[in-house]
Every structure is written in C-alpha cells, then in structure tokens.
C-alpha cells in the first residue's frame, strides 16, 4: 500500500489519512471544500506561527495544502488571492522593524516519496535539455530560516523569512549567536552578499531549557524548532544570548560569488567563518540520491540538531538559472521530508495531574504501543484547548507522533472508527485531589487549583522542589519519604523540615537511626546553600534557576526582595511584568511571609554572601568554551559547570569548531569524542582540569 496515494476515491489511503478523510464530506461542493480547507489551513498557520503550538503534524498539513492547491487548479474560479496557497505562513512579529528582502525568500517544493524525487530528477534532466548535471544533497535543518547580509565582511542585517517578501529585522538578537560570524575571515569574499541558513536550538540545549521551564511551571516548547523561533523573537537580546542558539548556512546569493557552483561557494563560506554542515555531498544519479536519503533517515538521530528531511539542489548556478522558478519555489531544488514517527493506538482514559503550583495537566492514558524504539503509554494533552480542538472521545483511535518532541503527542483522531455514544473528554471542573473548584485566569492556557496551602500534591510538590539537587540539595530525602512525613503529619511545609529530630525520623523505621541521622544531617547542611538557590527553592511561580540568580544579584537579601515594587523588579534584566507580578504576589501573602520568617530563624541563607557576588576566582580559563561529557569522580557535573564559570570559562553543551576543551569523564559517548577529535578540540581529563584550576598540584 502506497502511503502517498492521493486519489481520495481509492481504498488504499485509509490509515494515513483517517483524519483527512473524516473531513472529506461527500456532500461538499468544490467551492465549499475550498472554503473549508482555506479556513482549516489558516487556523493551523496561526497555531504554528503565532501560538507556536501546532495541533497537526507537518505531513497532515502538507496533505491539506496539496488538496487545496489541486482544487484551485481544477476550479480557478473559486481560488481567492487571499488563499493560504498564495503565501508562505507569516512569522511577522510587530515588535520588530519590518524590512524588505533583497531577493524574495521562497520555500521549497515538498515531497514524502522517492518516486517524486526521481520525477524531480527527470524534470531537471529534461529542463536542461539532457545536459549532465550534479545534485548537492543536504540535510533539511528543522529550525527557523534567516537571511544575513554582509557588507565588506561585516554582518549588516539579519532578517526572518516573514511572509517571503518582508521579514522582521532581528539583527540584535542574531548578533548574540556565537556561530554566526560578525566579521569574516580572509579577504576573498564579495563586498556585498547575502547568505541564508537555519537558526537552530540543539537538542541538548532544548532539553535543558524545557527542564528549567518545567521547574518554573512555564509552558514547555513543543520542539526545538518552536524553541528556536520563539527565542529569536524575544525582545531582550541578553536572554537570546543565554539560550545557546546555533546556525547552519546553506545558500549564498549575490553578485561576484566566488564560484559558479553552489557546493564550492559553501566550502568558501566555511573558510570565511560560517558554519556549513559537513554532511552535504555532491550526488551524480538517482541511485546516489536514494542512498543519501536512506543513510540520513537513520543517521540523523545521532546529530546534535533536529532535521526533518533532505534538500536536493542543482549544483551549477548557471543551470539553476536556466531551470528558473515557479511563482513559489525554485525548479532547481526540492525537499524530501522524512516520515514523522507515528503510531495508532487507543485512548483509554485521561488523567488530570496537579503540579506543585496547582496547574492541572491532562495526560492521555493509551494502550501501550511501540514508537521509535520505546513503548508509549501516555501522551501529554497540554491543556483544555488542545483537547477541544482534537474533539477527543474516550475509546478513540488516536495518532501518536514523536517528531522533534520528547513527550509524544496526539496529532489526530480517527473519527471514522469512533464507537457511537462514546463519551467526549471533558476537562475536570474541580481539583481531582482536594475537590476545590478550579480557576482559569485570563490569558492562561492552564486551569489551576487555588487551594495552595491545603491541596496535598501542591504541598508535597513544593517540598519535593525545595529539597531537589539544584535547590536545597537535601539528597538523603526522596519523594517517598517526603510523602511519608507529610502523611504522618510530621511536616506541612518546607520550614517544618528544620524542626525534625533524629528520634522523630528514626521512629518511622525499624533500626532506622543511621538513616534518620543522615536525613537530619543533610537538612542541617542545607543551611549553607546560597541565597539564590534558596530563592529558587521557594518555588515562586516563574522563578527558575536563572531568574533566581538575577533576583538575588539585584536584591541581595530577602528583605530587599520583599520590599521591591513591580517597577523596580522589571528594571532587572530578564524580569518582565509576569515574573514581577508573581514575585510581589508571593511576597504579599501572609503565609509565605511567615514561612520565610521561620526559615530565617532556622538559619537558612536569606541574603547573598559577599563572595557569591564577586567575579571569577581567577581567570585561568580566559573565556575558553568547555564541553563536559561523561561522569566524574571528584565533583558532580554541576560542580564542574560552576568551576568552569568561576575560573573564567564558559560551559557549552555541544562540541563545535569553537569549543576549546572537552572535559572528558568516564563513559562518555563515542560520537562526541569522535567529533571533538575531528574538530581538533583539546580533550582534557578530570585530573588535567583540576590541575588547570590549581585544585591539585602540577605533578
Ligand atoms: S534551501 C530557494 N537548504 O527549509 C532555496 N532550505 O522550504 C531556499 N531549510 O524554510 C532554501 N534546511 O528554512 C534550503 N539545507 C537547506 C535547508 C533549508 C532547512 C528550510 C528553509 C526553508 C525550508 C524550505
């Protein structure tokens, strides 16, 4: 069965097109169908570009788009100039200055089938009158596209794609991306040229960012593409700088380019300092193209960034010109998209989880199904709006996809196989844990349980957050013990931890004295935890690790923070209105103030130590970027990260040409080691590093 058959009357399309077929109302006239498809595509464009929260897979989106394109060709009398087929989705954000592209930023024709790739090859052959030609095979990077203008070797302007003819001027943000050169190397670049590429957030950075957002209970980014696009549109370049974006360049335009060959031009661009992927390859036949696609379909899983396909381009610029363009895309290039990994399974029930801030998260419980090598049992449903837009019923067969996402998501429902009378999934109106009526504030996607001080999972959640490694680091306590203490009535909040005695704790377990002593010792040890981590540990909404550091630097004691106004708070870098409001709300709550008072009495650090604010201990690393990999004996990874910063270095998450050192521990991945060796990165052991910072002596 071909997954690409587009004949809707043909029985072979079933599985892939369930949700597409459901919308094929046979009663619809072509005019109605065109109107329906246009509305649907506009809605999905909005979800994708504006809300950064797609509710449909790329593949299904492309299918709807192709159907509309075909209908418009068949019935041109109904094709409107406003149709979604007439524009590339716009990512314009009105907070940035809009500028016109020198050359329009076109998109590429998409295909999911090897047959269509062969047909493209044939079209090129015929278009060139049978002349011989080379194809350059490249990865299709899954980020957000950017156009960079260089004048006399200096970065002059960076603009997003926008609607293809106008985009947002994001130069200030792009200047913070370390892999984009501000000044070119060498002297053989054209005096004025444009280079285009993709801005990406590497997987490791994306995962860290989402972990941090999860802790601060901020909405997670669905995938690295949305995270990269969202970051590029931030108004504060210093936050952009801290987000670790990366960029690959893949297309040069202008007069006086060094070569008449696309591949050669990109090799030159690499010499000038651009990051050009070394995965690109010159291909001479359909067979070589197929082998290239096959290879990268699997191998892309080992890359540090997300990719969603292969781009094939005619190598000779002269031949590109000869082939020309359609109104929307070049005839000399095509994108082959990889299949998103997808499975179909049954939705058995939906659970509603209560987080430590009271946010309610709906989770789909599925009949277990294999998906990209793991068994999937649950999928995130994010919020009520997503459930509504999917029109989910219990017992539905659903499509689960694991594209760029870490948490699998439901992308479509097979409405045709729905059992009659099945129950729609309704969002709970009361807290499943304490029964309090839920509230949803304006502008928030989530429902909350407002019973902050008496809802058990919120209480336990706050204590668990407080003891976490990156917070108070009370490592001898785990969530089960916390639950036990809470259920026995021994603790009701984080301050109660400091009232526990060895006797209280030991009484819970036969021969539990040693265990109890450990717990009490590590609670006592947490009194030394620096103020900024205490601030993070308090679990104030939206105050993650980075925000806590910023707050502690600007308001070096809890009294100062308590007295800060919204206006004062928002003058701090990275602190916006939302965070400021959350901090003042927290500080205006009498229960919170009593809690802080008690923590102070128990000796918890409520002001920054002088030494914590001082600059690096010594600048021995002199700005060098260091990647940490593997496991270590003498310090934890987090301690090494802190040491790198203390000694004037920068900790970065993935190895690149700009990395100076790879701090290699035990069990590090061979891919990283390989890459570091290839790029000439200096590999240092734990002992080497400790010698560098003077922790152990030179010999
Ligand atoms: S070439 C006229 N090469 O895919 C040719 N695009 O529609 C312009 N993309 O939005 C694009 N990797 O952002 C090209 N190696 C690659 C690419 C690539 C990713 C993106 C690009 C564009 C979309 C194509």
């Amino acid at each position: 069965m071909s997954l690409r058959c587009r004949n809707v009357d043909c029985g072979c399309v079933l599985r892939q097109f369930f949700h597409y077929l459901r919308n094929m109302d046979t009663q619809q006239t072509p005019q109605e169908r065109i109107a329906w498809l246009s509305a649907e595509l506009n809605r999905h464009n909005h979800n994708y570009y504006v809300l950064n929260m797609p509710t449909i897979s790329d593949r299904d989106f492309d299918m709807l788009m192709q159907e509309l394109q075909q209908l418009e060709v068949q019935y041109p009398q109904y094709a409107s100039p406003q149709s979604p087929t007439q524009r590339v989705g716009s990512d314009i954000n009105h907070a940035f200055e809009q500028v016109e592209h020198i050359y329009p930023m076109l998109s590429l024709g998409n295909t999911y089938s090897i047959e269509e790739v062969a047909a493209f090859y044939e079209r090129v052959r015929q278009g060139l009158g049978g002349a011989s030609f080379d194809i350059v095979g490249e990865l299709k990077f899954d980020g957000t596209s950017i156009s960079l203008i260089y004048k006399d070797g200096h970065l002059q302007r960076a603009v997003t794609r926008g609607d293809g003819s106008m985009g947002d001027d994001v130069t200030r943000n792009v200047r913070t991306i370390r892999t984009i050169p501000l000044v070119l190397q060498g002297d053989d670049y054209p005096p004025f040229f444009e280079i285009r590429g993709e801005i990406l957030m590497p997987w490791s950075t994306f995962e860290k960012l989402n972990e941090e957002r999860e802790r601060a209970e901020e909405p997670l980014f669905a995938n690295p593409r949305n995270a990269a696009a969202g970051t590029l549109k931030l108004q504060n370049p210093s936050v952009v700088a801290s987000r670790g974006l990366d960029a690959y360049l893949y297309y040069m335009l202008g007069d006086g380019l060094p070569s008449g060959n696309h591949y050669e031009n990109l090799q030159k661009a690499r010499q000038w300092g651009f990051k050009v992927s070394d995965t690109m390859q010159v291909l001479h036949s359909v067979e070589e193209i197929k082998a290239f696609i096959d290879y990268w379909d699997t191998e892309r899983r080992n890359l540090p960034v997300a990719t969603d396909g292969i781009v094939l381009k005619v190598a000779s610029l002269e031949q590109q010109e000869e082939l020309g363009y359609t109104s929307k895309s070049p005839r000399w290039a095509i994108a082959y998209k990889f299949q998103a990994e997808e499975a179909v399974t049954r939705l058995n029930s939906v659970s509603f989880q209560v987080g430590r801030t009271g946010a309610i998260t709906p989770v789909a419980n599925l009949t277990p199904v294999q998906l990209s090598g793991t068994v999937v049992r649950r999928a995130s449903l994010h919020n009520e709006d997503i459930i509504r837009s999917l029109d989910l019923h219990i017992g539905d067969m659903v499509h689960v996809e694991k594209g760029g996402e870490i948490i699998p998501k439901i992308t479509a429902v097979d409405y045709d196989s729905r059992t009659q009378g099945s129950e729609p999934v309704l969002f709970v109106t009361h807290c499943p844990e304490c029964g309090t009526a839920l509230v949803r504030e304006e502008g928030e996607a989530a429902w909350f349980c407002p019973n902050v001080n008496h809802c058990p999972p919120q209480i336990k959640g706050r204590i668990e957050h407080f003891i976490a490694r990156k917070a108070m680091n009370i490592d001898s306590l785990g969530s089960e013990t916390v639950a036990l203490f809470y259920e026995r009535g021994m603790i009701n909040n984080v301050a109660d931890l400091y009232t526990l005695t060895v006797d209280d704790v030991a009484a819970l377990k036969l021969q539990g004295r040693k265990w109890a002593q450990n717990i009490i010792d590590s609670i006592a040890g947490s009194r030394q935890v620096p103020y900024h981590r205490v601030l993070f540990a308090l679990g104030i909404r939206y105050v993650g690790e980075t925000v806590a550091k910023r707050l502690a630097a600007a308001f070096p004691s809890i009294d100062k923070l308590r007295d800060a106004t919204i206006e004062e708070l928002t003058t701090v870098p990275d602190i916006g209105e939302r965070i400021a409001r959350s901090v003042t709300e927290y500080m205006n709550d009498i229960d919170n103030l009593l809690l802080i008072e008690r923590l102070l009495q128990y000796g918890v650090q409520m002001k920054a130590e002088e030494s914590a604010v001082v600059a690096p201990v010594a600048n021995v690393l002199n700005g060098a970027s260091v990647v940490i990999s593997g496991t270590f004996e003498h310090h934890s990874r987090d301690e090494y990260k802190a040491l790198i910063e203390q000694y004037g270095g920068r900790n970065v998450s993935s190895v690149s040409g700009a990395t100076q050192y790879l701090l290699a521990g035990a069990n590090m991945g061979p891919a990283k080691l390989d890459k570091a060796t290839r790029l000439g990165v200096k590999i240092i052991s734990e002992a080497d590093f400790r010698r560098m910072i003077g922790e152990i002596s030179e010999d």
Side-chain angles (χ1 to χ4, degrees):
M1 150 176 145
S2 158
L3 298 177
R4 293 292 305 147
C5 178
R6 287 209 222 100
N7 174 1
V8 287
D9 296 315
C10 163
C12 75
V13 292
L14 280 175
R15 203 187 73 83
Q16 288 294 320
F17 296 178
F18 277 146
H19 110 275
Y20 164 78
L21 282 180
R22 170 234 177 202
N23 300 313
M24 266 321 278
D25 178 349
T26 45
Q27 303 304 311
Q28 273 181 339
T29 63
Q31 190 179 5
E32 285 165 351
R33 183 75 189 156
I34 286 175
W36 183 87
L37 285 166
S38 304
E40 197 60 6
L41 286 162
N42 282 336
R43 184 170 71 85
H44 289 304
N45 263 333
H46 181 79
N47 285 348
Y48 184 100
Y49 286 106
V50 181
L51 305 181
N52 269 336
M53 185 154 316
T55 56
I56 183 175
S57 69
D58 289 359
R59 183 193 175 85
D60 288 339
F61 181 89
D62 291 345
M63 294 297 155
L64 295 176
M65 183 63 92
Q66 281 180 5
E67 189 197 347
L68 181 58
Q69 277 163 346
Q70 280 171 14
L71 281 173
E72 286 179 349
V73 171
Q74 235 176 319
Y75 303 98
Q77 65 273 36
Y78 304 133
S80 133
Q82 268 68 264
S83 163
T85 58
Q86 295 309 301
R87 56 179 230 161
V88 283
S90 170
D91 63 3
I92 286 183
N93 176 323
H94 294 285
F96 290 93
E97 195 194 335
Q98 318 261 298
V99 287
E100 194 165 347
H101 288 295
I102 301 173
Y103 307 91
M105 275 182 98
L106 301 177
S107 61
L108 292 177
N110 270 341
T111 174
Y112 289 87
S113 95
I114 295 284
E115 292 75 45
E116 285 187 18
V117 169
F120 159 78
Y121 194 82
E122 199 40 47
R123 275 199 307 281
V124 170
R125 184 200 304 286
Q126 285 180 9
L128 296 174
S132 78
F133 61 94
D134 285 342
I135 293 284
V136 181
E138 298 171 17
L139 283 167
K140 186 169 183 307
F141 295 105
D142 196 8
T144 183
S145 41
I146 194 77
S147 143
L148 307 174
I149 306 284
Y150 283 80
K151 190 164 179 254
D152 298 326
H154 288 74
L155 173 65
Q156 202 186 35
R157 199 180 86 168
V159 184
T160 66
R161 184 171 68 160
D163 63 4
S165 45
M166 304 270 286
D168 282 331
D169 184 335
V170 288
T171 315
R172 265 161 42 88
N173 284 347
V174 165
R175 283 186 191 283
T176 69
I177 303 175
R178 284 164 198 280
T179 43
I180 293 184
L182 299 178
V183 181
L184 302 184
Q185 293 162 20
D187 53 12
D188 54 349
Y189 41 76
F192 186 89
F193 71 98
E194 175 170 353
I195 189 161
R196 291 184 185 167
E198 204 79 356
I199 295 198
L200 300 148
M201 183 174 286
W203 282 113
S204 54
T205 317
F206 165 72
E207 280 158 20
K208 262 194 275 165
L209 176 65
N210 260 356
E211 277 170 23
E212 176 143 331
R213 290 173 77 86
E214 198 166 6
R215 275 196 296 275
E217 299 227 351
E218 290 184 75
L220 301 190
F221 284 115
N223 51 45
R225 174 187 58 214
N226 290 5
T231 300
L232 199 62
K233 295 301 181 71
L234 290 174
Q235 294 298 318
N236 183 342
S238 76
V239 186
V240 180
S242 73
R243 289 266 182 97
L245 292 177
D246 201 350
Y248 280 98
L249 285 308
Y250 47 61
Y251 183 34
M252 207 192 291
L253 302 101
D255 295 328
L257 298 183
S259 157
N261 180 296
H262 166 70
Y263 184 84
E264 302 294 327
N265 280 335
L266 288 186
Q267 301 310 316
K268 265 282 172 212
R270 185 184 287 132
Q271 288 173 16
W272 300 335
F274 291 105
K275 190 161 177 178
V276 172
S277 172
D278 51 16
T279 57
M280 59 191 289
Q281 201 177 322
V282 182
L283 306 164
H284 308 91
S285 64
V286 174
E287 285 64 42
E288 284 186 23
I289 293 176
K290 284 183 186 163
F292 184 78
I293 289 178
D294 274 354
Y295 178 79
W296 284 111
D297 200 357
T298 337
E299 211 37 48
R300 70 191 179 111
R301 291 180 182 80
N302 298 323
L303 295 171
V305 293
T307 54
D308 62 341
I310 294 292
V311 178
L312 301 165
K313 299 174 185 166
V314 170
S316 148
L317 303 193
E318 204 177 308
Q319 290 182 331
Q320 288 184 0
E321 210 166 302
E322 201 178 329
L323 290 161
Y325 296 80
T326 69
S327 64
K328 283 199 310 291
S329 48
R331 290 201 181 87
W332 46 264
I334 194 168
Y336 169 88
K337 295 256 221 136
F338 297 128
Q339 301 257 1
E341 292 167 274
E342 194 200 54
V344 179
T345 187
R346 184 177 299 281
L347 171 73
N348 295 323
S349 63
V350 173
S351 319
F352 294 87
Q353 295 178 343
V354 187
R356 77 177 154 84
T357 59
I360 312 288
T361 311
V363 176
N365 299 309
L366 308 165
T367 298
V369 63
Q370 278 283 346
L371 182 58
S372 5
T374 56
V375 177
V376 172
R377 294 187 166 79
R378 286 141 64 86
S380 168
L381 284 169
H382 301 285
N383 56 46
E384 185 184 25
D385 297 345
I386 303 270
I387 296 181
R388 284 229 180 114
S389 83
L390 286 166
D391 179 27
L392 267 188
H393 284 219
I394 300 295
D396 276 350
M397 293 305 287
V398 293
H399 291 236
V400 190
E401 201 176 276
K402 217 187 204 178
E405 293 74 26
I406 12 176
I407 313 159
K409 68 174 182 200
I410 295 181
T411 52
V413 178
D414 170 17
Y415 300 99
D416 287 354
S417 69
R418 175 175 288 168
T419 1
Q420 268 211 330
S422 68
E423 290 290 321
V425 174
L426 295 179
F427 210 88
V428 280
T429 53
H430 288 74
C431 175
E433 300 281 344
C434 72
T436 307
L438 301 180
V439 292
R440 182 174 172 176
E441 284 158 33
E442 217 183 293
E444 289 277 355
W447 283 93
F448 283 87
C449 165
N451 186 14
V452 177
N453 291 324
H454 301 103
C455 177
Q458 294 190 54
I459 298 172
K460 283 187 276 187
R462 278 197 297 273
I463 302 174
E464 278 169 25
H465 172 76
F466 186 81
I467 63 173
R469 195 164 46 87
K470 295 198 166 165
M472 303 302 279
N473 192 24
I474 305 182
D475 57 357
S476 56
L477 266 184
S479 48
E480 280 169 27
T481 318
V482 166
L484 189 65
F485 288 172
Y486 171 73
E487 273 137 32
R488 295 289 171 96
M490 293 159 65
I491 55 173
N492 233 321
N493 57 43
V494 297
D496 293 342
L497 286 170
Y498 297 91
T499 64
L500 294 172
T501 64
V502 175
D503 288 342
D504 293 341
V505 177
L508 294 175
K509 215 172 168 178
L510 267 183
Q511 297 178 330
R513 269 210 98 70
K514 190 158 183 289
W515 170 72
Q517 187 65 54
N518 259 339
I519 290 178
I520 299 300
D521 286 350
S522 75
I523 293 175
S526 74
R527 292 190 171 99
Q528 309 311 322
V529 164
Y531 168 59
H532 67 87
R533 274 176 46 196
V534 177
L535 264 189
F536 168 61
L538 289 177
I540 306 170
R541 200 155 155 212
Y542 309 130
V543 178
E545 277 175 276
T546 317
V547 170
K549 273 190 198 156
R550 297 270 196 222
L551 287 175
F555 304 96
S557 74
I558 200 81
D559 296 348
K560 294 204 166 86
L561 185 63
R562 189 195 52 213
D563 297 340
T565 61
I566 296 207
E567 291 69 36
E568 286 164 348
L569 285 160
T570 48
T571 59
V572 179
D574 298 352
I575 313 289
E577 181 87 18
R578 193 181 56 144
I579 300 176
R581 217 165 270 293
S582 163
V583 172
T584 51
E585 263 169 36
Y586 184 92
M587 293 296 174
N588 279 328
D589 183 303
I590 184 72
D591 288 319
N592 294 335
L593 294 178
L594 287 173
L595 186 87
I596 289 174
E597 201 48 49
R598 285 183 62 208
L599 288 172
L600 250 171
Q601 276 170 18
Y602 298 135
V604 172
Q605 300 293 318
M606 289 293 179
K607 55 174 188 264
E609 269 179 39
E610 300 292 303
S611 63
V613 217
V614 299
V617 175
N619 197 14
V620 287
L621 294 172
N622 199 17
S625 58
V626 187
V627 171
I628 303 182
S629 188
T631 52
F632 299 92
E633 260 179 55
H634 291 275
H635 296 283
S636 68
R637 285 168 69 104
D638 281 336
E639 282 165 1
Y640 275 118
K641 281 183 196 167
L643 284 169
I644 290 169
E645 278 182 23
Q646 263 176 35
Y647 285 89
R650 276 189 315 114
N651 172 238
V652 291
S653 53
S654 61
V655 176
S656 73
T659 312
Q660 262 111 329
Y661 299 108
L662 173 67
L663 172 51
N667 307 320
M668 71 172 284
K672 218 173 219 173
L673 199 58
D674 253 21
K675 189 166 176 199
T677 319
R678 219 167 356 103
L679 294 173
V681 173
K682 189 158 185 219
I683 298 165
I684 53 173
S685 69
E686 188 171 6
D688 293 336
F689 181 80
R690 294 178 65 217
R691 259 191 292 277
M692 282 165 82
I693 62 170
E695 200 174 82
I696 48 178
S697 63
E698 287 293 326
D699 32 275

